Amino acid sequence: MKNIASWLTITLVSLVLCACAAVDAGSGGAGEMEIRSGKIEQITMTQMQTNHDSGVGAILGGLAGVGIGSLIGSGTGRDVAMVAGALAGAAGGNYAEKKKYDQPQQAQQIIVRTKSGVLVSVTQPVNAALSKGQSVYIEGTGNEARVVPQS
């Protein structure tokens, strides 16, 4: 009985620790970043899917499920209820988090002609300070790329 509770505790602590992300140059931390410059050729309104898979909903739901499961029965039945509660709570918490926070958000697809003549397309959240013909910087590459006005 205590062995199951110990393993459950270790598993939950492991999940919490694994949810912490390492910061590197590609995720906004210290490091080098490529910056290109150019002029905006076109701005098109669109939507982009958010990605809030932080796991917080699953962790909180799992903890709530363990708490509720611990109120049921005694002995082995209680342990089973705690595990079942943790699983059901984690699934429910993850579903609730996705339902609430994974909604498409307004975005803009910006096409920039760099000084070398290359066209670059970046989709990012709406930035009202950007307009067609404006001189801009393109910071980063890939999914991390952002268009920002030159000051």
Side-chain angles (χ1 to χ4, degrees):
M1 288 184 258
K2 289 184 179 182
N3 198 13
I4 292 174
S6 297
W7 280 106
L8 187 59
T9 303
I10 290 170
T11 303
L12 288 174
V13 169
S14 298
L15 285 173
V16 170
L17 292 177
C18 289
C20 299
V23 176
D24 61 3
S27 62
E32 297 179 6
M33 180 188 306
E34 179 183 358
I35 299 178
R36 297 167 282 178
S37 62
K39 289 194 181 278
I40 296 178
E41 293 269 322
Q42 179 181 345
I43 299 177
T44 306
M45 297 306 291
T46 186
Q47 289 186 339
M48 61 190 271
Q49 187 67 31
T50 59
N51 188 10
H52 290 283
D53 293 332
S54 64
V56 173
I59 292 171
L60 293 177
L63 291 174
V66 167
I68 293 170
S70 70
L71 301 175
I72 298 172
S74 63
T76 306
R78 181 178 181 186
D79 295 339
V80 170
M82 288 172 62
V83 171
L87 293 174
N94 189 44
Y95 175 77
E97 179 183 16
K98 284 182 182 259
K99 185 88 168 157
K100 171 110 173 131
Y101 295 107
D102 274 357
Q103 301 299 318
Q105 67 178 18
Q106 285 296 102
Q108 49 191 184
Q109 180 185 28
I110 305 164
I111 298 177
V112 178
R113 184 173 301 276
T114 64
K115 293 192 178 198
S116 64
V118 175
L119 288 174
V120 177
S121 174
V122 176
T123 301
Q124 67 183 32
V126 175
N127 182 347
L130 298 175
S131 60
K132 184 177 178 180
Q134 183 177 17
S135 295
V136 293
Y137 292 119
I138 303 170
E139 299 178 344
T141 59
N143 289 339
E144 301 295 320
R146 294 291 173 255
V147 176
V148 294
Q150 290 183 6
S151 44

